[in-house]
């Protein structure tokens, strides 16, 4: 770990995981010019889903918020796999989050705060972004939450 972002991760007690392998025919992240786009990142930890189900039913909003942070960490790992050094990030432009929600659950923005707060903690002002939080009926592997991010690079 040599970069500023890597040092911040270490200071926070975080380690970037291995990139989660694709579940189908896609890439975890792709670069186009000065932007990197990630595929939807699930809260996989060491190859498995720690919790499954709907938020507001089997999964508490607090658990889901922690899972959203895991998704964001997985997204940063996917970005790093494409650019090699997270210090090249100029800013996170957009976060899109999907929350597998019980029919009466309306706290999707609070769940996605887990991802937003992690990105802010790791990247500082570069982690401030626009965001969408969407409730859905079901996600792959019965995941409670999934996020994707778009980052702008400072040099390309």
């Amino acid at each position: 770990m040599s970069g500023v972002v890597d040092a911040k991760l270490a200071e926070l007690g975080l380690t970037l995981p291995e990139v989660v392998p694709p579940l189908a025919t896609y890439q975890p992240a792709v670069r186009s010019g000065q932007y990197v786009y990630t595929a939807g990142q699930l809260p996989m930890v060491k190859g498995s889903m720690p919790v499954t189900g709907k938020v507001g039913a089997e999964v508490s909003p607090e658990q889901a918020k922690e899972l959203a942070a895991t998704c964001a960490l997985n997204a940063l790992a996917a970005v790093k796999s494409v650019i090699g050094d997270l210090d090249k990030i100029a800013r996170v432009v957009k976060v899109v989050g999907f929350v597998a929600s019980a029919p009466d659950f309306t706290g999707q923005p609070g769940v996605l705060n887990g991802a937003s707060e992690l990105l802010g903690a790791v990247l500082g002002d570069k982690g401030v972004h626009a965001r969408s939080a969407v409730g859905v009926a079901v996600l792959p592997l019965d995941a409670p939450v999934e996020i994707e991010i778009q980052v702008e690079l400072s040099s390309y």
Side-chain angles (χ1 to χ4, degrees):
M1 289 190 178
S2 59
V4 173
V5 175
D6 288 334
K8 187 62 175 181
L9 285 163
E11 178 185 319
L12 295 169
L14 300 171
T15 303
L16 280 184
E18 294 294 319
V19 177
V20 176
L23 299 175
T25 308
Y26 62 88
Q27 294 298 310
V30 296
R31 181 176 176 171
S32 180
Q34 69 185 50
Y35 295 95
V36 176
Y37 302 84
T38 70
Q41 299 293 311
L42 300 176
M44 301 287 277
V45 177
K46 296 182 181 177
S48 67
M49 191 74 60
V51 179
T52 59
K54 307 288 183 285
V55 180
E58 302 87 3
V59 180
S60 74
E62 296 78 18
Q63 286 176 301
K65 183 177 178 183
E66 291 175 17
L67 294 170
T70 300
C71 292
L73 201 58
N74 287 341
L76 288 175
V79 170
K80 187 171 183 174
S81 75
V82 172
I83 64 173
D85 181 358
L86 292 176
D87 288 344
K88 293 179 182 178
I89 295 174
R91 74 170 305 144
V92 177
V93 177
K94 179 86 185 245
V95 172
V96 179
F98 305 94
V99 180
S101 302
D104 60 345
F105 182 72
T106 60
Q108 292 83 6
V111 169
L112 270 290
N113 281 346
S116 295
E117 290 167 7
L118 181 127
L119 293 169
V122 171
L123 298 169
D125 289 342
K126 294 177 181 182
V128 178
H129 52 268
R131 186 181 82 188
S132 298
V134 182
V136 298
V138 68
L139 289 168
L141 303 179
D142 201 23
V145 63
E146 176 178 353
I147 71 151
E148 59 185 55
I149 67 173
Q150 174 186 351
V151 300
E152 181 181 10
L153 304 177
S154 56
S155 60
Y156 62 100

